[in-house]
Amino acid sequence: MFSTHPYDDDHLREECGIFGIFGGADAAAHTALGLHALQHRGQESAGIVTFDGEHFHDQRGFGLVADNFSSEEVIRQLPGASAIGHVRYSTAGETVQRNIQPLFADLEFGGFAIGHNGNLTNAIALRKELVKRGSLFQSTTDTEVIIHLIATSTFATVIDRLIDALRQVDGAYSLVALTNDALIGVRDTHGVRPLVLGTLDGAYILASETCALDIIGAKFVRDIEPGEIVTITDSGIESIKPFANSPSKFCIFEYVYFSRPDSSVEGQNVYEIRKRIGVELARESHVDADAIVPVPDSGVPAAVGYSNEAGIPFEFGIIRNHYVGRTFIEPTDRIRHLGVKLKHNANRAEIAGKRVILVDDSIVRGTTSTKIVEMVRQAGAKEVHMRIACPPTAHCCFYGVDTPKRDDLMAANHSIEEMARLIDVDSLAFLSIDALYRAVGEAGRNDASPQYCDACYTGEYPIPLTDHDGGPVPAQLSLLANTGKGA
Ligand code: AMP
């Protein structure tokens, strides 16, 4: 959710996880645990803000949740029965302390902390206008635009100001916010990013994924709906849907790769969907082989499904070292190449002399696949076939999943035959878009109105890309100049 420089509209995006709790003892400790379960959504930095009934307390740092929030002393410095937290992940560029979320501001009505998962697509345009009108930005995150829109809103209540602000932003956002008396959760009208509601001993919890409820023993209640705002106070929970209805466009890549397999997203278990993806892959592009080998960990569920469907043994032919970060996180190509080696090793005994089908979730730059195939060939594989659990990733995401710039997306610049040659496989096949839709429970893709956001595969962006296209400043901005009441 940001560009390192607000006017530098390049590919720098973030992936994030959010968590919030209201009304429980040990709010900070629960938040730290919840964030730990969401660590896969962001490993660059972590932050927690709490409210103790009188004061807000905050702590933010680079690195993992465990690096920042494992000591009792740190948790003691975060007293209070309500808290929000955030983990963030970006791959390159300036990483500065002031961008670490949750952001906090003292506004007319009191303190306001906010954590954001997603990416606003008109933040640069809005920011330029806000700066012209005197707003002083403290960070380069798109999220801060929301704070300034709230601060300058002419509405009276926090919720009305928030609605006023959100009517002006485009893009993908799941939000948690904390005020002096409420925990607020929001999902954008298309519901691009997930957000779920849970309870624990009378406390309410908001989290990006259900795995963050499981870790603290909380009960899943329901998904927050697209366009819904929930406000949790001492009097309970209130829900409103103040925005015009938009078609739901949940990110299909959450199912392919991003969410944790043990999470249920939009009512569906992610692992089951990934297994179904494997079944679809086997039906669409089977080739005779001796072993189905996943690229761990993300290729495992699809490989299980493939193996079941094809009746070919599933083998751990590649072993992953769990003590290194994601290869993707390394900013230079040289290190990234090394990262793949640090992370994976071929299990020669399961590979030598065999015809192997490698199953991975996706190919982005192609670095991982190239190295993995080289490794598997060196381990003596007779044939190497690769099957990918989604269609070719040929377009950038502007809604909160980090992707390199288009030039660096292998599928944006090469045909499948060229990719097969570059990666050096005997055959390469991707899942078709219709099969992906079947795996998530649809009859196929409804081309007239796709049921999910699949822009990374199709290039059809369901939400305007104002900043990217250099399009017009949104009309609603006139609200800022308006002293009267907005819509
Ligand atoms: P690459 O070497 O760029 O082709 O990396 C592809 C691998 O990176 C995939 O197999 C995934 O496991 C992982 N991956 C895919 N998309 C992302 C993403 N947006 N952020 C982090 N890792 C990703």
Short mmCIF file of all heavy atoms in Angstrom, two decimals, residues 15 23 35 52 60 134 142 206 216-217 249 281 284-285 299 358 485:
data_model
loop_
_atom_site.label_atom_id
_atom_site.label_comp_id
_atom_site.label_asym_id
_atom_site.label_seq_id
_atom_site.Cartn_x
_atom_site.Cartn_y
_atom_site.Cartn_z
N GLU A 15 2.18 -5.77 0.59
CA GLU A 15 1.21 -6.77 0.98
C GLU A 15 1.13 -6.67 2.49
O GLU A 15 2.16 -6.48 3.13
CB GLU A 15 1.70 -8.14 0.55
CG GLU A 15 2.05 -8.19 -0.91
CD GLU A 15 2.78 -9.44 -1.34
OE1 GLU A 15 3.53 -10.00 -0.54
OE2 GLU A 15 2.58 -9.83 -2.47
N GLY A 23 -12.03 -4.97 23.78
CA GLY A 23 -12.74 -5.45 24.95
C GLY A 23 -12.15 -6.67 25.61
O GLY A 23 -12.84 -7.38 26.34
N LEU A 35 -0.87 -11.20 14.73
CA LEU A 35 0.04 -10.74 13.67
C LEU A 35 1.04 -11.84 13.31
O LEU A 35 1.43 -11.99 12.15
CB LEU A 35 0.79 -9.48 14.10
CG LEU A 35 -0.04 -8.21 14.26
CD1 LEU A 35 0.87 -7.05 14.70
CD2 LEU A 35 -0.77 -7.84 12.97
N ASP A 52 -5.68 2.51 26.35
CA ASP A 52 -5.93 2.01 27.71
C ASP A 52 -7.09 2.73 28.41
O ASP A 52 -7.22 2.68 29.63
CB ASP A 52 -4.65 2.11 28.55
CG ASP A 52 -4.23 3.55 28.80
OD1 ASP A 52 -4.98 4.48 28.42
OD2 ASP A 52 -3.15 3.77 29.38
N ARG A 60 6.46 0.19 16.96
CA ARG A 60 6.60 -0.27 15.57
C ARG A 60 8.06 -0.60 15.32
O ARG A 60 8.95 0.02 15.91
CB ARG A 60 6.21 0.84 14.58
CG ARG A 60 4.82 1.35 14.71
CD ARG A 60 4.59 2.57 13.82
NE ARG A 60 3.30 3.16 14.10
CZ ARG A 60 3.05 3.99 15.10
NH1 ARG A 60 4.01 4.36 15.91
NH2 ARG A 60 1.84 4.46 15.29
N GLY A 134 -2.96 22.43 2.22
CA GLY A 134 -2.29 22.65 3.50
C GLY A 134 -2.06 21.42 4.36
O GLY A 134 -1.53 21.54 5.46
N ASP A 142 0.00 5.55 1.12
CA ASP A 142 -1.31 5.98 0.61
C ASP A 142 -2.34 6.04 1.74
O ASP A 142 -3.26 6.85 1.71
CB ASP A 142 -1.78 5.05 -0.53
CG ASP A 142 -1.88 3.59 -0.12
OD1 ASP A 142 -1.42 3.24 0.99
OD2 ASP A 142 -2.41 2.79 -0.91
N LEU A 206 -11.02 -8.45 14.75
CA LEU A 206 -11.01 -8.31 13.30
C LEU A 206 -9.65 -8.79 12.82
O LEU A 206 -8.63 -8.49 13.44
CB LEU A 206 -11.20 -6.84 12.89
CG LEU A 206 -12.55 -6.22 13.23
CD1 LEU A 206 -12.48 -4.69 13.07
CD2 LEU A 206 -13.65 -6.79 12.33
N ILE A 216 -5.33 -17.64 18.67
CA ILE A 216 -5.67 -17.20 20.02
C ILE A 216 -6.94 -17.90 20.54
O ILE A 216 -7.48 -17.52 21.57
CB ILE A 216 -5.84 -15.66 20.10
CG1 ILE A 216 -6.85 -15.16 19.06
CG2 ILE A 216 -4.51 -14.96 19.94
CD1 ILE A 216 -7.22 -13.69 19.24
N GLY A 217 -7.39 -18.89 19.80
CA GLY A 217 -8.57 -19.64 20.25
C GLY A 217 -9.87 -18.87 20.10
O GLY A 217 -10.85 -19.15 20.78
N LYS A 249 -15.45 -8.27 -5.98
CA LYS A 249 -14.26 -8.58 -6.79
C LYS A 249 -13.13 -9.06 -5.88
O LYS A 249 -12.05 -8.48 -5.85
CB LYS A 249 -13.78 -7.33 -7.56
CG LYS A 249 -14.77 -6.78 -8.54
CD LYS A 249 -14.91 -7.64 -9.78
CE LYS A 249 -16.00 -7.08 -10.67
NZ LYS A 249 -16.42 -8.01 -11.71
N LEU A 281 -5.64 -28.94 -12.87
CA LEU A 281 -4.37 -28.96 -13.63
C LEU A 281 -4.16 -30.33 -14.26
O LEU A 281 -3.81 -30.46 -15.44
CB LEU A 281 -3.20 -28.68 -12.70
CG LEU A 281 -2.54 -27.30 -12.69
CD1 LEU A 281 -1.39 -27.31 -11.70
CD2 LEU A 281 -2.08 -26.85 -14.07
N GLU A 284 -6.43 -30.85 -17.15
CA GLU A 284 -6.18 -30.00 -18.33
C GLU A 284 -4.87 -30.32 -19.05
O GLU A 284 -4.78 -30.18 -20.25
CB GLU A 284 -6.12 -28.52 -17.90
CG GLU A 284 -7.44 -27.85 -17.83
CD GLU A 284 -7.30 -26.33 -17.74
OE1 GLU A 284 -6.21 -25.81 -17.43
OE2 GLU A 284 -8.30 -25.67 -17.98
N SER A 285 -3.85 -30.66 -18.30
CA SER A 285 -2.54 -30.68 -18.95
C SER A 285 -1.65 -31.82 -18.45
O SER A 285 -0.47 -31.63 -18.20
CB SER A 285 -1.83 -29.34 -18.72
OG SER A 285 -1.69 -29.13 -17.35
N GLY A 299 3.56 -24.82 -3.46
CA GLY A 299 3.05 -25.74 -4.48
C GLY A 299 2.45 -27.01 -3.92
O GLY A 299 1.88 -27.82 -4.66
N LEU A 358 6.92 -31.00 -11.80
CA LEU A 358 7.04 -30.01 -10.74
C LEU A 358 5.75 -29.18 -10.70
O LEU A 358 5.27 -28.74 -11.75
CB LEU A 358 8.21 -29.07 -11.01
CG LEU A 358 9.62 -29.65 -10.94
CD1 LEU A 358 10.64 -28.58 -11.35
CD2 LEU A 358 9.91 -30.12 -9.51
N LYS A 485 -22.42 20.26 3.67
CA LYS A 485 -22.45 18.81 3.88
C LYS A 485 -22.25 18.06 2.58
O LYS A 485 -22.75 18.47 1.53
CB LYS A 485 -23.82 18.40 4.47
CG LYS A 485 -24.04 18.99 5.84
CD LYS A 485 -23.33 18.15 6.89
CE LYS A 485 -23.40 18.77 8.27
NZ LYS A 485 -22.14 19.14 8.84
#
